[in-house]
Amino acid sequence: MAQITLVEAITQALAFEMQRDPKVVVFGEDVGLNGGVFRATDGLQARFGHERVLDTPLAENMIAGIAIGMAVQGLRPVAEFQFMGFIYPGLDQILSHAARYRNRTRGRLSCPIVYRAPYGGGIHAPEHHSESTEALFAHIPGLRLVVPSSPARAYGLLLAAIRDPDPVVFLEPKRIYRAVRQEVVDNGEALPLDRAFVLREGSDITLIAWGALLKETLQVAEQLSTEGIEAEVIDLATLKPLDIHTIIDSLEKTHRCVLIHEAARFCGLGAEVASQINEYAFDLLHAPVQRVTGFDTVMPYYQLEDVYLPGVPRIMTAVREVLEYANGGAA
Amino acid sequence: MHKPRMQLLASFDIASLQYLDESGQTTQALPDFATPDTLVSLYRQMTLARMVDDRAVKMQRTGQLGTYPSSLGQEAIGVGVGAAMAKEDVYCPNYRETGALLERGVRIEEIYAIWGGDERGQNYRHVCEDLPLSVPIATQMLHGAGVAFALKYKHEQLGEPIRAAVTSGGDGATSKGDFYEAINLAGDWKLPLVVVINNNQWAISLPRSGQTACKTLAQKAIAAGIPSLQVDGNDVIAVYQAVLEALQLAHEGGGPSMIEAVTYRLCDHTTADDASRYQPQEGVKEAWGREPLRRLRIYLESLGIWGDSQEEELQRELKEMLEEAVRVYRQTPRDKSTAIFDHLYGTLPEAFIEQYQQLQGDS
């Protein structure tokens, strides 16, 4: 079986679903002949034709808006934005319309759309190419927000997203587009949405992250393991709706939690998860939940992006604080 | 001073269309569809649209309806557009289109429900696949382009019958990127889309002159490479004919076109607005002289097929229909509390069950 990268898994999922369902159409800027700026749609136009893999004029709001018209007529549009920073012109269409059509028409029309965008920093890109503003979408009722963290999950979750009857914002952590290879069975099997995945079991502390930062999070877990501390690592995967049950189940074993994301701290998703832990699992905690996040600043140009991005040392510091709090604290 | 020599690369014309002038006289031979029966039917529907609007405003004033955008004075556009469309075509409207909605088969009580704060008013699955009305300006034009793509795709790839999309917006909509992005794409992709601009001269308080330096709104289509036309928006025959031709072009694979229908908003922007603050009285008075119902009635009278008795009979019939719709609207109990979750997602995600349960028993 072929070992493929995350971005190749995206291509594979798109190809599988286009083959299976003639109502799937793929469009965006440069997605056709050029195969997308990250090559996520490479070869699809040659295989499925110009009628199903379409290069659009350069207008992101338009891309977001026409997807709605296609979807309410029963197609399954998959719209690509070149970078998350370029989605913003389309926010009005995504938030005001895609997310609300089903509700607005009391179920008569729905928007089974996937809005795909590479997101996150760490690839030395220019400004507006490293955004991690997923909380914008997580806040909006009616949307689903999915972030894969490995080739296999990218494949399975993207299939699920395309088949879902509602709009899904599918953010692809571009820092790990090609960082790892993994065997992926191209059998069309989707992974469940709205579910977190336990990547590593442990009994001492729960580490929660999504997307590219799971790489550093797992490194921290490995390092802790050499010291005899076993961390449970959870990949949130679907950021909205949130699978709080998997987190609570984990806290029943570990009683300690660190949340890790590269988005800015204020109103970041970590705040929501921490708040839900507080509401549902306060009695389980032996230490306050800690967040390791990006700073409340603009994502810097790439010379300073390593300053901004959480890495192993910052995660480790937070983990130690949480562990030490438990050791010497009231618990 | 140096004067560079330049060559003319292209030139463009904007045509206008009118059949019936403001005094009810024909300005040219009428198109084939304009039989006495059809014209009476159009007159009837414009009269109904005006009555529905009038009653809506009265209900708003007495606390029985929320904010309502009347289409007083521009009934010819809504009715002309709605009547020219095939049932199978898909309409993607803005919010001031009561006449078109009625033509499309949406019930009066559903229109009242929408403005009475009940989403069920936009679930008119009994008549059509039309999109719900759109409150933000021009956003629906992109949905229209997407619908047009889907209809073309479903015809060419999946063998479904030929259909087209029609989208409408006001003069203010032509200042939005969504409008330009929609016509640009429709032209580029040759989509079966008809864009109708309801130029009623006012975007709330901003007059047409403050909206754009363009001499006509129709000429904006030139930039997108699609054909366009200005019609007398108070002449229902012209609107009907223009939409019919545009739809024929779309159905035949000829791509999109745009129609600027020139009219005047003879009412406040909505019931929350006071147009006397900005509309010059002289202009309003003049506009009343051009309004669409009167001129068609004069014409019907000149044909000897309309008079006071027909008018009285029509008023009586429509009033009865309206009263029944108002009764249904008033007697419809509000939706159950849990409905706010019922249609948020196809299936309620587990994460929201707790909130849903808070509302259960509250219904």
Side-chain angles (χ1 to χ4, degrees):
Chain A
M1 202 186 323
Q3 297 238 341
I4 59 171
T5 62
L6 195 154
V7 72
E8 286 165 346
I10 297 287
T11 318
Q12 205 163 78
L14 289 170
F16 186 95
E17 203 57 10
M18 291 190 81
Q19 184 67 40
R20 193 186 75 87
D21 182 356
K23 291 188 170 169
V24 177
V25 292
V26 169
F27 56 96
E29 292 157 11
D30 307 304
V31 303
L33 187 62
N34 200 30
V37 288
F38 286 100
R39 306 289 175 261
T41 55
D42 201 20
L44 294 180
Q45 192 177 63
R47 185 167 164 195
F48 296 102
H50 287 73
E51 297 77 20
R52 295 185 68 192
V53 182
L54 301 109
D55 281 318
T56 64
L58 206 162
E60 288 82 7
N61 178 57
M62 178 272 290
I63 293 169
I66 61 168
I68 294 166
M70 295 176 183
V72 296
Q73 267 297 320
L75 299 188
R76 295 269 167 173
V78 181
E80 175 177 304
F81 298 89
Q82 291 190 333
F83 291 89
M84 191 187 194
F86 302 163
I87 277 192
Y88 305 149
L91 281 180
D92 182 30
Q93 288 288 350
I94 299 171
L95 312 189
S96 303
H97 297 291
R100 297 162 74 139
Y101 252 91
R102 179 187 291 284
N103 189 63
R104 180 183 292 155
T105 61
R106 281 298 184 252
R108 180 167 63 93
L109 302 172
S110 62
C111 286
I113 301 166
V114 180
Y115 292 115
R116 292 181 40 240
Y119 95 110
I123 64 156
H124 286 204
E127 194 183 5
H128 300 123
H129 288 62
S130 301
E131 309 294 294
S132 179
T133 44
E134 58 268 34
L136 288 174
F137 297 100
H139 184 65
I140 302 304
L143 291 181
R144 267 193 170 74
L145 178 58
V146 176
V147 179
S149 65
S150 68
R153 263 184 300 284
Y155 179 80
L157 290 172
L158 182 55
L159 284 175
I162 301 172
R163 293 170 192 170
D164 192 82
D166 295 305
V168 178
V169 176
F170 194 86
L171 300 178
E172 297 162 11
K174 59 181 178 287
R175 181 159 65 89
I176 56 167
Y177 256 159
R178 294 183 172 85
V180 288
R181 287 184 174 271
Q182 187 181 27
E183 285 187 356
V184 177
V185 190
D186 188 14
N187 59 1
E189 271 185 30
L191 286 169
L193 299 176
D194 307 355
R195 287 281 172 273
F197 298 89
V198 177
L199 302 189
R200 188 185 190 286
E201 299 210 9
S203 52
D204 299 319
I205 189 165
T206 300
L207 307 180
I208 303 172
W210 52 90
L213 267 176
L214 277 162
K215 192 171 158 223
E216 286 76 12
T217 304
L218 285 165
Q219 282 171 8
V220 166
E222 287 304 314
Q223 201 174 318
L224 289 170
S225 186
T226 63
E227 300 170 20
I229 299 163
E230 296 304 327
E232 182 140 307
V233 176
I234 295 178
D235 172 6
L236 222 45
T238 299
L239 310 191
K240 183 183 189 171
L242 183 70
D243 175 11
I244 193 67
H245 298 296
T246 295
I247 296 169
I248 295 170
D249 287 351
S250 179
L251 289 174
E252 278 174 356
K253 292 191 289 180
T254 66
H255 310 287
R256 299 166 192 87
C257 182
V258 174
L259 297 157
I260 301 128
H261 62 65
E262 80 176 60
R265 190 180 190 83
F266 187 84
C267 280
L269 267 166
E272 174 65 30
V273 177
S275 180
Q276 290 204 24
I277 290 171
N278 188 42
E279 283 171 28
Y280 298 110
F282 182 73
D283 291 343
L284 294 174
L285 294 178
H286 289 179
V289 174
Q290 279 239 20
R291 289 180 287 163
V292 183
T293 69
F295 294 98
D296 286 332
T297 66
V298 174
M299 175 76 85
Y301 289 7
Y302 64 79
Q303 289 200 9
L304 291 179
E305 74 180 343
D306 62 329
V307 171
Y308 176 93
L309 293 171
V312 169
R314 265 162 66 193
I315 301 169
M316 194 56 92
T317 302
V319 166
R320 297 229 185 271
E321 276 181 31
V322 169
L323 290 169
E324 281 161 20
Y325 186 98
N327 289 340
Chain B
M1 192 181 130
H2 171 67
K3 280 192 182 170
R5 184 162 51 84
M6 287 183 277
Q7 284 180 309
L8 184 67
L9 290 183
S11 60
F12 304 93
D13 298 307
I14 297 297
S16 76
L17 180 69
Q18 184 196 56
Y19 290 97
L20 208 56
D21 71 15
E22 57 193 76
S23 62
Q25 306 292 310
T26 54
T27 54
Q28 60 177 314
L30 298 191
D32 291 344
F33 75 81
T35 61
D37 280 355
T38 304
L39 294 181
V40 167
S41 166
L42 292 170
Y43 180 73
R44 177 191 190 276
Q45 290 301 99
M46 289 199 294
T47 307
L48 176 63
R50 185 163 292 188
M51 287 172 76
V52 168
D53 270 348
D54 180 61
R55 187 55 173 266
V57 172
K58 288 192 170 86
M59 286 204 288
Q60 191 279 332
R61 301 286 186 237
T62 52
Q64 300 172 74
L65 201 74
T67 301
Y68 181 81
S70 172
S71 50
L72 179 65
Q74 50 201 70
E75 294 87 351
I77 300 173
V79 170
V81 169
M85 289 177 67
K87 187 177 187 305
E88 296 73 24
D89 292 330
V90 179
Y91 186 45
C92 311
N94 61 317
Y95 53 82
R96 195 190 302 283
E97 295 296 355
T98 292
L101 262 53
L102 291 168
E103 280 299 301
R104 299 292 293 160
V106 180
R107 298 186 190 117
I108 300 168
E109 58 265 32
E110 288 173 318
I111 295 171
Y112 288 160
I114 296 167
W115 299 105
D118 183 348
E119 285 90 344
R120 287 174 298 180
Q122 308 238 50
N123 182 354
Y124 25 79
R125 70 171 80 233
H126 59 287
V127 278
C128 58
E129 298 168 32
D130 291 356
L131 269 50
L133 47 81
S134 183
V135 171
I137 304 304
T139 50
Q140 74 282 356
M141 294 178 164
L142 284 170
H143 308 163
V147 167
F149 173 86
L151 297 176
K152 184 171 187 255
Y153 182 90
K154 291 200 290 184
H155 170 63
E156 291 171 357
Q157 302 285 312
L158 309 175
E160 291 191 10
I162 294 171
R163 300 155 73 194
V166 177
T167 186
S168 62
D171 36 303
T174 65
S175 296
K176 294 271 290 187
D178 297 59
F179 157 78
Y180 177 70
E181 290 172 6
I183 59 173
N184 182 60
L185 182 80
D188 191 17
W189 287 8
K190 260 189 171 297
L191 300 178
L193 179 72
V194 178
V195 179
V196 179
I197 301 302
N198 184 330
N199 175 5
N200 70 12
Q201 312 302 328
W202 297 94
I204 305 192
S205 67
L206 189 71
R208 158 69 181 80
S209 59
Q211 198 68 243
T212 172
C214 279
K215 191 169 178 186
T216 67
L217 300 181
Q219 76 199 58
K220 294 195 172 195
I222 293 168
I226 71 176
S228 68
L229 176 74
Q230 192 180 76
V231 302
D232 184 336
N234 293 325
D235 172 6
V236 70
I237 302 171
V239 174
Y240 190 115
Q241 175 65 15
V243 176
L244 214 54
E245 280 183 26
L247 279 170
Q248 193 180 350
L249 184 72
H251 289 149
E252 287 169 355
S257 46
M258 182 172 134
I259 297 161
E260 176 195 359
V262 181
T263 184
Y264 195 93
R265 200 188 77 213
L266 289 169
C267 48
D268 298 328
H269 164 66
T270 66
T271 49
D273 174 48
D274 174 9
S276 69
R277 290 166 62 91
Y278 52 84
Q279 278 184 345
Q281 284 315 294
E282 199 51 36
V284 177
K285 209 174 142 192
E286 275 174 34
W288 269 107
R290 298 190 296 272
E291 68 95 7
L293 266 72
R294 185 177 141 272
R295 71 170 74 180
L296 184 56
R297 182 178 168 176
I298 293 169
Y299 180 65
L300 293 177
E301 284 171 354
S302 76
L303 295 179
I305 57 172
W306 204 256
D308 289 345
S309 62
Q310 283 90 348
E311 183 71 26
E312 278 165 29
E313 174 58 21
L314 178 67
Q315 292 282 341
R316 194 193 55 72
E317 180 213 334
L318 295 181
K319 192 155 190 301
E320 210 169 276
M321 185 197 285
L322 187 62
E323 289 308 324
E324 174 59 16
V326 168
R327 191 189 63 77
V328 171
Y329 164 67
R330 283 179 178 152
Q331 290 183 356
T332 302
R334 77 170 200 173
D335 214 348
K336 58 186 193 302
S337 301
T338 48
I340 64 173
F341 275 109
D342 285 342
H343 305 290
L344 194 58
Y345 295 91
T347 306
L348 188 69
E350 209 177 315
F352 303 116
I353 287 174
E354 190 181 315
Q355 292 181 46
Y356 183 85
Q357 285 168 343
Q358 280 179 33
L359 294 172
Q360 275 182 326
D362 190 30
S363 296

